């Protein structure tokens, strides 16, 4: 039986060379690491119970609303009479509004497919996982990419539409591009903001990752197109102000 080796207390930072460690704790120190524990709940039964309560509360609210106000239903469908304008359900009005500006292949197939692919890919972005601000590094390179994308959207898209629909009077596309211009303006504001010295809204803006900007643009575009198709489109899909009538 071999004799045990003597232990020598030394100061060393190489954990591979000296893997055994001894911690000396004085009276006024503590080995506890001060961290903030995040609140956690079990999926079952806590989250399941909260979800059931929320569903029941929503069902009760819908019943109360239906008892007080009648649903705005129109008359029975008449196959001999097509309403003007013939509008899709509200959740498809954004696509119908896009069909007013772009060819069916672009508005009905290409754009929705790209949107769905983007929504699938966004959660897997490394920048999304790290929650890194879009403009915190490589600012010049990303500004160049940002400028090229905005240029394509604002300049090239209208001409591509005319090429895809030769001989057709294509309506202006500025309504569909307005959300893009708005989001681009906020992105430019974030790009010109110093993340270290900024405060308030600009500090919050500059720390947002690229996934935040893509999702914000998608939701903003969807809301604007749906609102325009719902409230500002009249007979022949012409521009209508709800309080004045057709223009």
């Amino acid at each position: 039986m071999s004799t045990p080796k003597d232990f020598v207390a030394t100061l060393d930072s190489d954990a591979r060379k000296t893997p055994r460690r001894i911690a000396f704790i004085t009276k006024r120190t503590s080995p506890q690491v001060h961290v903030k524990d995040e609140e956690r709940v079990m999926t079952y039964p806590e989250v399941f119970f909260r979800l059931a309560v929320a569903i029941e509360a929503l069902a009760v609210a819908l019943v109360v609303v239906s008892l007080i106000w009648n649903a705005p239903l129109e008359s029975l469908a008449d196959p001999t009479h097509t309403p003007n304008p013939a509008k899709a359900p509200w959740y498809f009005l954004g696509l119908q509004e896009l069909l007013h500006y772009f060819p069916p292949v672009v508005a009905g197939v290409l754009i929705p497919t790209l949107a769905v692919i983007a929504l699938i890919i966004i959660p897997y972005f490394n920048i999304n996982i790290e929650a890194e601000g879009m403009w915190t590094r490589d600012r010049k390179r990303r500004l160049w990419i940002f400028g090229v994308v905005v240029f394509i959207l604002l300049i090239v898209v209208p001409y591509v539409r005319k090429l895809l629909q030769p001989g057709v009077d294509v309506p202006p596309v500025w309504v569909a591009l307005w959300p893009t211009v708005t989001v681009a303006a906020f992105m430019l504001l974030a790009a010109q903001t110093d993340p270290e010295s900024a405060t308030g809204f600009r500090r919050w803006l500059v720390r947002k990752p690229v996934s935040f900007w893509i999702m914000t643009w998608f939701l903003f575009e969807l809301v604007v197109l749906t609102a325009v198709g719902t409230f500002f489109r009249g007979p022949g899909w012409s521009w209508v102000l709800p309080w004045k009538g057709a223009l």
Side-chain angles (χ1 to χ4, degrees), residues 43-84:
T43 303
Y44 182 85
E46 283 82 2
V47 176
F48 178 79
F49 177 74
R50 296 179 185 181
L51 182 61
V53 172
I55 293 175
E56 292 178 1
L58 179 61
V60 172
L62 290 176
V63 170
V64 172
V65 170
S66 64
L67 291 175
I68 298 176
W69 293 286
N70 294 325
L73 300 178
E74 298 181 357
S75 58
L76 295 177
D78 185 0
T80 63
H81 176 70
T82 302
N84 188 10

Side-chain angles (χ1 to χ4, degrees), residues 111-207:
I111 295 179
T113 302
L114 292 177
V116 172
I117 292 175
L119 293 177
I120 294 174
I121 294 178
I122 283 175
Y124 297 97
F125 282 178
N126 290 332
I127 193 171
N128 181 57
I129 297 174
E130 298 173 358
E132 180 190 43
M134 181 177 178
W135 306 107
T136 54
R137 64 176 183 175
D138 297 335
R139 181 172 297 185
K140 292 184 178 180
R141 174 174 172 269
R142 296 180 180 183
L143 272 174
W144 272 104
I145 298 175
F146 169 75
V148 170
V149 172
V150 173
F151 174 80
I152 292 175
L153 289 175
L154 298 181
I155 306 298
V156 178
V157 168
Y159 291 101
V160 171
R161 289 168 57 249
K162 291 184 178 180
L163 292 176
L164 292 175
Q165 293 180 320
V168 179
D169 186 14
V170 181
V173 74
W174 302 117
V175 175
L177 290 180
W178 176 68
T180 303
V181 174
T182 304
V183 174
F186 280 103
M187 292 179 68
L188 188 61
L189 177 64
Q192 302 299 324
T193 302
D194 186 1
E196 301 299 331
S197 60
T199 59
F201 174 72
R202 297 188 66 171
R203 182 182 181 87
W204 174 84
L205 203 64
V206 74
R207 295 184 179 275

Side-chain angles (χ1 to χ4, degrees), residues 6-14 17-18 20-24:
D6 297 333
F7 288 96
V8 179
T10 59
L11 297 177
D12 191 0
S13 60
D14 191 349
K17 182 178 179 182
T18 54
R20 297 182 180 181
R21 301 284 170 165
I22 299 177
F24 296 93

